Amino acid sequence: MTNTERAPKPAPPSPPAERAMGFAERAVAAAGAAVISAVLVNPLDVAKTRLQAQAAGVVYNPIWSDFRCYPWCNPGGLKLNGLGPSCSPECFQYRGTMDVFYKISRQEGIFRLWRGTGASLALAVPTVGIYLPSYDLLRNQIEEYSDRSNPKLRPYAPLIAGSIARSLACITCSPIELARTRMQAFKESSGGTKPPGIWKTLLGVLSSRQSINHPERSMYFDNTARGYHLLWTGMGAQLARDVPFSAICWTVLEPTRRHLLGLLVGEQSNAAVILGANFSAGFIAGVISSGATCPLDVAKTRRQIEKDPARVLNMNTRRILLEVWRNEGMEGLFRGAGPRMARAGPSVGIVVSSYEVVKYIIHTKQAEL
C-alpha cells in the first residue's frame, strides 16, 4: 500500500497490522489488563455479592462465641455470657454499598474487602486471556467474511463474536467463578480460623455431593461424574448472564469507541488517546450492559451460594427469577445493581483500555524492529 492510499488520520493500530497479531500476543495483553482490573474493583464485587447473598437468606452474625458489641454499634440490650451487651441484628444487616464497606472494614478488617482477590485473579487472567483474543479474532473473521459476501452482517459482528467468545471463557472457567462467589459471600465459621481458599472451597462443593450420594443406587464412577458436575454449578445462570452482557457490551462499545477515536485522533495517535477513548467507551458499555443483566446476576449468585445439594440439583435460572419476583418484586431482581454497575463500568473500561494500549505498544515495538 502506498502513502497516498493511506488515510490521512491513521487509526491506532492500523487494521492490517492489528489483525496480524497472534493469539499469544493478544492473550498476554489481556492477562495484564485482567490483573489490574481484578485488584482495583474487587471491593465492589464483594459488596454486590454480600447484598445479594443477604437477600437470599445468608445471615451475617457474629463469628465467635464471646463477641461483644462494638462501641459504635447500638446494642440490643442483651447480655452475652456476662461479657457485655450483644449487638442488635441491625449491626449485621447491610443497607447499601457504602454500608457494606463500612461494616466489613469495622467488623472484619479492611483487607476483607479484597476477599476472593486470589480467586478473582485466577478467574480473570484465564477468562480475559481467552475472551478478548477470541473476540478480536472472531470479529475480524466475521468482518472479513461480511466484506466479501454479506455486507449486512458487519454491524452484527461485535454481537456474534462477543457472545461466542464469552461462552468459551465461561465454560472453561466456571469452577473458579463458583469458588470466588462462595468465598466472597460467606464469613469464616470461627474467630482466628483462616478462611478456605480456592481449592478447599471447591473440595467443599464436592464433599456436599457425597452427603447425598447413594452408593447402592449407582456405580462409583457415576457418582464421581455427578460430583464433579457440581463444580459447574450455576454455569447455566452464568451463561444466561454473561452472554447477553457481552452481546450488549460490545454492541455499545464498538460504535462508541470508533466515534471517540474519530474525534480524538489527530495527526498522530498515541497511547494516551487510545487509553482515553477505550476507557470511556468501555465505561459506558459496562454500565449499560451490567444494569440490563442484573436480574441474571442475582440468579447466578443465588444458585452458587446455595448449600443444600439436593436443592442445587433442582434449581435453574427461570425458577430462581420467578421465586425472587414473587417474594421480593422488582427490587429483589435488581438487588446489588448499584455496586454491580459501579464495578462493571470501570472494570470494562480498565480491561479494554489496558488491552488496547498493550496491543498498541506491542505493535509499535514490532514495527521498530
Side-chain angles (χ1 to χ4, degrees), residues 30-31 33-35 37-38 118-130 173 176 180:
V35 170
S37 175
S120 294
L121 290 171
L123 173 68
V125 172
T127 299
V128 179
I130 295 170
C173 302
I176 307 175
R180 183 185 66 132

Side-chain angles (χ1 to χ4, degrees), residues 203-214 218 222-231 307-310 313:
L203 288 174
V205 174
L206 292 176
S207 64
S208 69
R209 171 61 185 151
Q210 294 175 3
S211 66
I212 60 171
N213 277 344
H214 300 283
S218 56
D222 180 58
N223 281 328
T224 301
R226 287 176 178 270
Y228 283 114
H229 174 72
L230 283 185
L231 294 178
K307 287 190 170 182
D308 182 355
L313 295 175

Side-chain angles (χ1 to χ4, degrees), residues 185-197:
F186 301 118
K187 292 182 179 180
E188 58 268 40
S189 58
S190 60
T193 302
K194 184 178 179 181

